[in-house]
Structure formats: C-alpha cells, structure tokens
Amino acid sequence: MNHETMTVVLGDRSYDIFFGREIYSLFQEWICRFYPGGTVHVVTDRNVASIYGDDIPRWLAGIPHDVLALPPGEEHKNLDTVREIYGFLARGDAGRDSLVVAFGGGVVGDLAGFAAATFLRGISCIQVPTTLLSQVDSSVGGKTGFNLPEGKNLVGAFHQPRAVFIDDAFLRTLDDRNLRAGMAEVVKCAIAGDPALWDRLLTAGAKWKAFEGDEWRWIVRSAVAFKASVVERDERETSLRRILNLGHTIGHAMEKSGGYGRLLHGEAVAMGLAWEAILGMKLGVTGGDLVDDLVSLLIDMGFPLDDPGVALTSIAATIGMDKKRMVSDVDLPLVAAPGRCELRRIPLAEIRRALPGIRAEIRERSIARDLNLPAVDAFREESPVTNLVRVGNEVYEIRPVEEKVALAVPVETEQDIVEEQATAAEPAPAPLEIPAVLAELEPTPPETPIMLAEPEPEPSPSDTPIALAEPEPVPPPSEPPAVLAGPEPAPPDIPVAPAVRTVTLADLYWSQGEHSTARRIVGEILRNNPANLRAKAWLEARAGDDFVEAELLGFLETMAKEYGYDLS
C-alpha cells in the first residue's frame, strides 16, 4: 500500500494527514494503535451511507463501534442536528477515551467535529473526508461549527482532529457538480498562496476533469499543504489565517441569502472569488489581467458567477452578519498577485456601495462568455420594490446598477445612448501583505482604507432611529450624476468606461426579472428620442406584461414628482 504523510505541527495538538488510494487498512491500524480500549462513533450522512454503508463495518472489524447517518445537505447544518449527534454519543456510552469519526463531506465534518469538541467538554475525533471540498478545506485546520438563520458558521469551536485520512478513491463517486464545487477551494488556495498550483490550473482550464491518478493527488496535496502551512502559523485566525477566507465574505452572503441548500458551498465560494477580485481591482489592489484570468478560469470550469435571484439588498444585509466583522468593518483578503494576498480592513458601507458595480461587471463578463444564469431556478425577493438595508441604526440605499456603475454592453448604432460617469473607490493605504513563501507574522491591526462618506441623516428633535436623507434631484442627462455628499475625494486611479442605456440593456434586465428597471431604461430612451422605433416596439411587445408593476411604478413616479423625490 502506497501512501504519503504530511504533519500539521501544532505542539501537543499536532497530527498527521495521510494521502493514498484505498487506505482503509491504514485507517483501521491507526485506530487499533491509538484507541485500543475506546469505543468508536462514526458520524456520516445518508448519501455517503448509501455508498459506503457496507464498507464501514468491514473497515472497523473487531473494533466496537456504532454509526449515525444524518440527513444530508447544508440546510441541516444546524443546532437540531448537533443535538441528534449528542444523543447518539450519549446512547452509545461515549467517554473521554472514545473516538468520533467524521466520515463524509464538509457538513458532516463540521457537525461531528463540533459535537466532539463540546461533548463531555471535548473528546477526540478524526476526519475521513469523502468530497473534494472537504479534503482540501474543511477536514484540515480544526474549524468546526454550524449555521444559524442569521448567518453561516456563527457558532463553532476550534478542535483539531487527531488524524485526517484523504483517500482519492472517494472522488470517483462524486458527480460533476460536487467535484466542481471542491475545485473552488482549490482555486482559492492556488491564487492565495501557491503560484505553481495556479499555473497548473490555468493550463488545464476547462480540461480540469481530465486530472487522474497522481495528478489528482498532487493537486489535493498542494492545496492541503498551503492550508496546513497557514494553520501552523495562525491556528486560531488572529491574523494570517484570515487569508483563507478569500472569496468567503461575499460567498457566504450569497449562500445564506439564497437559502442554504440552493447553492453548494463551493459554488458560492466561486462567486465570492470573482466578486471580491473585482472589488480588489476597484480598490487598486488586484490587477485587471489577474481578474481576467480568474474569471475566465472559473467560467471555463463551469461555475455560474452570479445568482440573479438574490437581491443586492439581501447580500448587503448578510455581509453585516459576517463573523469576520470588526464593529463596522470587515477584514477582507484581496489578491495582489498569484500567491500574494493583502489583508485589508474595509468599512461595510464601502463594500455595500460597491455591490451594484461588481454585479454589473460580473454580468458583462458572463454574457461575453455566454454564461450568466446558474443551473437552479431564480426567484424574486419578497419585497422587490425596496432597496433599503437597515443595520442597527444605519440605513443604506442600494441604487439601481445602471445609475451607479459602468456597465459595458455592445453599443448599438442608435441615437439613444446616454453616457454616465461612474465613480471609483479611492485606493486604500498600504496593507498587510501575505507573500507566497509564508513567514512568521506578529498579529498587527490592518490599516483602514479611505471610506466614502455616508449620507447625512436629517436633523431630528428626538433620539429616533436614523432616517434617510432626501435624495438630491437627478441632474440632466448632459451632466454627470451627483455623487454622495462628503469630502472631495482624490482623482480615482482606476479608469472606468461610461455606462450606456440601450434596448439591449433593457432586455438584459428584463431577462433577470428586473422589469421596472428595464421599463425605466426604455422610458429614458424615448424621452431623449421619441422616434426610436426599437424602443417603441419593445414597449408594445410587453404592453400586457407586468401590468400591476407598471401601475405601481406609474403611481410612484407621480408621487415622486409631486413631492420632489428621486426614484432611482
């Protein structure tokens, strides 16, 4: 039997990671050697049990054990399932000398690991990851926990496993979607800290499924080696380990906003990687060529880069619940170059303001590659007419994308193009850099980049919650749009292309379900050019569609004119 071993060096919490093919005999030998008198309690899920249910008793022959098969899926990663594991351990007379075996994917590993960390104030566990995502990410590093309705992984504990057994034979049972989801974490490790792995992934591109045998093992081992090297230097995520959250701030918001189970974790991370790379480009950290390479690679791998059914208001509100938040800021890793990250403390308000521009650019890039919609059905938010996000006493307005950012679409030979000047965030001060070759770092507070001024609240005679300031009138089309009030920013370093409003753009928003935005674009085209035949035909073709929304929009426009508000 051929296998390789890697050691995660953490003092008395050090442990070995075993790599190989069909290493179940090594798994059995390890348990007999280190837990000869204790009971073994295997936690898995029903999907894994349907494939390996007959093999587990054979691998544990002669060792007292019992097996619990949980319902599968991220939607079951909650306190009720943790209680079920506690009951399973209690009924099985688990003691301080017992061993919990997490046999499954990332959900099983997180839940079983957390139960082991907290049952009897902590008992031993080992990880046997059966998915690519759990092999390269969740099984290593000791993070355990579960989700709350308010956010992902908000309850957890650091509890290092006693050993990890990574068998590439398990990958043969994965469908394409789950295998692809695991590749998102591989891409994250590559771009964050392993230039050689990054180059290999770029070379493979859409042919990544052709990996086999030793090449798969090299890819998995490379990703695990990078993560282990970070964990050794920062076990409890006080500084350096935060680079492993690359793509996860927006990714977790996508995952939670869409409802757990709608997106696989890896699919959400892929979206987060693309969105945060574009944010890094807007902040002057990530180069445009690197963003091009990353977005192209993710699309070639088959990832959708947006879930159009998730509203920006929902994403903005969910980011505020991120467990990496520091008061009103988030420590966000941004890629400066393949293998080098910068950790920046960015105000939540600045991230929220950037969301419309990021989504616009994601749509542009996806449309150019004929890939925009995910493989799941989109759904509308419960309150599609609201664009306000309240977090504590702060209220944020998410403006329609066509009025905030540049959105490049094929420019048509029409006379109805209205140009707008978009604004870009000012680059932040020099942050903490994480080089490709990791060095020991003392925890230092990251520097805070310049923050765009938030809207001033209206004066109030009492201590009532903050009210939104009345929007300023929209300037005529020949002038640039008004920007948020505040100190005059320095000239942006990042050039932005002017946005355009065309019938093609209206078609895009209509296809995404944003009918009021589409109608408003066509209305502006006709106000500037009443003879535009394409715009007239567009309205006539949709005369019977969305009648209620059109009536509501007309009512709101009438009220806005009467009271002087801006509906944008």
Side-chain angles (χ1 to χ4, degrees):
M1 175 185 62
N2 295 323
H3 68 269
E4 302 174 57
T5 305
M6 179 187 303
T7 302
V8 182
V9 181
L10 293 170
D12 60 355
R13 296 176 307 285
S14 299
Y15 54 95
D16 291 329
I17 304 172
F18 300 96
F19 302 85
R21 171 66 64 92
E22 297 181 350
I23 56 177
Y24 56 84
S25 59
L26 178 65
F27 162 72
Q28 183 183 55
E29 178 186 341
W30 188 95
I31 294 177
C32 290
R33 178 179 178 184
F34 293 103
Y35 290 86
T39 55
V40 175
H41 306 269
V42 181
V43 179
T44 186
D45 68 34
R46 293 168 191 165
N47 287 343
V48 177
S50 67
I51 300 173
Y52 298 104
D54 295 335
D55 295 320
I56 294 173
R58 177 167 57 87
W59 295 340
L60 294 173
I63 301 172
H65 70 277
D66 48 12
V67 180
L68 172 66
L70 301 172
E74 189 78 26
E75 61 270 30
H76 298 290
K77 189 179 172 183
N78 52 41
L79 181 57
D80 289 338
T81 308
V82 174
R83 287 196 188 100
E84 189 174 349
I85 300 174
Y86 287 152
F88 165 69
L89 296 175
R91 291 189 302 272
D93 293 325
R96 291 286 178 85
D97 59 346
S98 296
L99 178 68
V100 174
V101 177
F103 190 93
V107 172
V108 167
D110 283 1
L111 291 171
F114 180 80
T118 50
F119 188 78
L120 299 179
R121 295 186 174 87
I123 62 178
S124 297
C125 73
I126 63 175
Q127 295 276 348
V128 184
T130 60
T131 65
L132 178 59
L133 190 145
S134 59
Q135 288 185 358
V136 300
D137 183 53
S138 59
S139 64
V140 177
K143 277 190 177 182
T144 69
F146 58 91
N147 304 330
L148 295 179
E150 292 78 10
K152 186 175 173 67
N153 293 334
L154 291 183
V155 180
F158 287 97
H159 189 58
Q160 299 295 342
R162 301 310 301 161
V164 180
F165 296 85
I166 297 179
D167 192 331
D168 51 84
F170 289 129
L171 302 182
R172 293 180 296 183
T173 65
L174 297 180
D175 58 27
D176 285 351
R177 188 183 180 195
N178 278 279
L179 194 63
R180 181 184 298 109
M183 288 302 294
E185 290 287 356
V186 175
V187 171
K188 179 202 77 175
C189 291
I191 198 170
D194 191 332
L197 179 58
W198 173 250
D199 288 342
R200 181 66 191 93
L201 295 178
L202 285 182
T203 300
K207 299 179 180 179
W208 64 273
K209 292 182 186 177
F211 294 148
E212 59 182 23
D214 292 341
E215 191 164 26
W216 262 124
R217 196 173 304 166
W218 179 83
I219 288 170
V220 171
R221 183 183 173 91
S222 297
V224 171
F226 166 67
K227 180 168 186 179
S229 68
V230 174
V231 170
E232 287 176 343
R233 289 161 173 79
D234 181 17
E235 180 183 2
R236 293 183 174 266
E237 200 173 302
T238 59
S239 58
L240 177 63
R241 186 167 176 173
R242 293 175 188 174
I243 68 173
L244 297 178
N245 294 321
L246 182 66
H248 284 61
T249 297
I250 293 179
H252 279 172
M254 283 280 194
E255 191 174 2
K256 191 263 179 185
S257 298
Y260 295 125
R262 174 180 170 84
L263 291 173
L264 296 179
H265 175 66
E267 293 170 336
V269 168
M271 293 179 186
L273 288 172
W275 285 53
E276 291 177 19
I278 291 173
L279 176 62
M281 183 176 65
K282 292 179 180 294
L283 293 174
V285 178
T286 309
D289 290 343
L290 183 55
V291 174
D292 292 342
D293 287 343
L294 175 61
V295 170
S296 295
L297 175 62
L298 293 172
I299 291 177
D300 285 343
M301 286 180 165
F303 287 108
L305 299 186
D306 189 12
D307 186 342
V310 176
L312 289 179
T313 49
S314 179
I315 298 172
T318 305
I319 289 175
M321 293 299 299
D322 194 283
K323 63 181 182 295
K324 300 177 288 299
R325 183 184 58 176
M326 301 292 180
V327 189
S328 61
D329 302 334
V330 170
D331 284 343
L332 196 68
L334 299 173
V335 179
R340 194 174 87 248
C341 284
E342 294 183 1
L343 193 62
R344 292 210 172 187
R345 185 161 291 178
I346 303 177
L348 280 166
E350 188 168 351
I351 299 175
R352 286 168 173 144
R353 289 191 190 99
L355 291 176
I358 296 172
R359 170 164 273 178
E361 186 146 349
I362 287 291
R363 285 175 173 173
E364 175 194 348
R365 292 170 180 267
S366 297
I367 289 171
R369 299 294 299 272
D370 296 324
L371 177 67
N372 191 45
L373 296 175
V376 290
D377 295 331
F379 65 90
R380 297 290 290 160
E381 59 176 320
E382 291 182 5
S383 302
V385 297
T386 183
N387 63 344
L388 304 183
V389 179
R390 180 178 290 277
V391 182
N393 287 331
E394 297 177 340
V395 180
Y396 297 89
E397 181 180 9
I398 305 298
R399 291 180 176 270
V401 64
E402 77 278 8
E403 297 208 359
K404 278 293 281 186
V405 297
L407 174 59
V409 295
V411 179
E412 303 170 18
T413 56
E414 298 181 357
Q415 300 176 3
D416 56 352
I417 296 176
V418 181
E419 296 187 355
E420 291 185 321
Q421 181 66 43
T423 59
E426 182 174 349
L432 169 69
E433 288 197 5
I434 312 297
V437 180
L438 296 170
E440 192 70 38
L441 294 178
E442 292 294 329
T444 56
E447 298 184 34
T448 304
I450 295 173
M451 171 181 172
L452 292 175
E454 294 198 21
E456 292 287 343
E458 292 286 351
S460 175
S462 61
D463 294 328
T464 53
I466 291 176
L468 276 181
E470 181 173 310
E472 296 183 1
V474 178
S478 60
E479 301 176 12
V483 297
L484 293 174
E488 184 175 351
D493 295 329
I494 305 170
V496 287
V500 295
R501 290 177 180 169
T502 65
V503 175
T504 300
L505 184 60
D507 284 335
L508 168 62
Y509 282 110
W510 188 273
S511 69
Q512 300 297 326
E514 299 181 25
H515 295 180
S516 60
T517 302
R519 289 184 184 278
R520 186 158 56 248
I521 292 172
V522 175
E524 291 183 6
I525 292 172
L526 289 173
R527 279 196 293 272
N528 285 278
N529 182 12
N532 188 292
L533 297 179
R534 282 197 64 194
K536 288 181 177 180
W538 191 95
L539 281 180
E540 291 174 1
R542 292 161 180 80
D545 294 341
D546 205 17
F547 183 72
V548 174
E549 183 177 338
E551 278 197 328
L552 177 59
L553 183 60
F555 170 75
L556 291 174
E557 288 177 343
T558 300
M559 296 296 291
K561 290 177 182 177
E562 183 173 348
Y563 292 101
Y565 288 106
D566 174 17
L567 284 180
S568 63

